[in-house]
Amino acid sequence: MAIAFELVINYGSNHNAAAAARHAALNHPPLTAGPHQVGLHKPLLGTVRGYDGKQYLEMAVLPVGVGWKVGLDRHAPHLGLTADELSELGKELYQLLTRFTGYRAAQVGWDPEGRVDPAELQQEWAEELAAGELPGLVLAEDLHQQLRGQGFVPFAPGFVWIPYEGEHPSSLTIDGDNA
């Protein structure tokens, strides 16, 4: 099973904003993670079906060589990162996100797809959302008004977030317990 560290963005039905973001990510220079320069794969953009059965545009931006068993990395060496290096990479992905507009929800992390689907947030993540326990979750201001939730502060014009807390040592980092 693949485990991807990625920036995942829900664009609703906003094709123009998704295309502009994809173009910006395609032309973005490598990101920094400690001493490493980490390139980005060509962003994945497609239509997905949400928890409630409604379709939306989703874009995923994956750093090269960072995930585990990610098909896009088949010709790239695995880049083992510490939790601090992974956190730095996450912060750089959020910096990239500040350049994008027109999206509904976004998050950086290990397989965050379910946390950018408003219906799934409402159904499966309601307690965490209400308590402000989804660090790194970015919502369009109007979506935040619908979903509500504690701990949100301004992220970029038109968006709020629960500030990203970074990554912790785990079996997915080279400084983790099972590394």
Side-chain angles (χ1 to χ4, degrees):
M1 178 168 111
I3 303 173
F5 186 79
E6 58 191 326
L7 164 60
V8 177
I9 309 163
N10 174 339
Y11 274 96
S13 60
N14 194 333
H15 290 271
N16 291 338
R22 186 172 185 273
H23 179 75
L26 273 170
N27 295 304
H28 199 276
L31 305 178
T32 301
H36 311 283
Q37 292 296 302
V38 183
L40 298 174
H41 285 292
K42 181 179 175 181
L44 303 174
L45 180 60
T47 302
V48 298
R49 191 170 303 280
Y51 195 81
D52 58 0
K54 294 180 182 172
Q55 292 184 337
Y56 62 88
L57 281 172
E58 182 178 273
M59 185 171 87
V61 179
L62 287 84
V64 175
V66 174
W68 295 90
K69 298 183 182 180
V70 173
L72 293 172
D73 287 339
R74 69 182 166 275
H75 299 298
H78 178 72
L79 181 61
L81 299 177
T82 66
D84 286 344
E85 291 167 343
L86 201 57
S87 296
E88 185 178 358
L89 184 61
K91 289 174 185 173
E92 294 228 357
L93 287 167
Y94 279 111
Q95 281 294 338
L96 176 62
L97 181 62
T98 64
R99 298 178 53 198
F100 302 161
T101 61
Y103 59 91
R104 308 297 298 139
Q107 191 171 37
V108 170
W110 294 105
D111 297 331
E113 290 83 359
R115 293 181 303 276
V116 301
D117 176 4
E120 190 165 342
L121 280 169
Q122 245 177 346
Q123 295 292 320
E124 298 295 324
W125 298 96
E127 288 179 25
E128 293 87 348
L129 184 64
E133 297 172 352
L134 295 173
L137 179 64
V138 181
L139 298 176
E141 287 177 343
D142 66 315
L143 181 58
H144 176 246
Q145 289 174 0
Q146 288 175 353
L147 296 177
R148 308 202 188 282
Q150 300 299 311
F152 283 88
V153 298
F155 174 73
F159 299 93
V160 295
W161 77 328
I162 300 172
Y164 179 62
E165 295 175 355
E167 304 302 316
H168 303 284
S170 72
S171 61
L172 300 173
T173 63
I174 62 170
D175 55 352
D177 298 333
N178 300 326

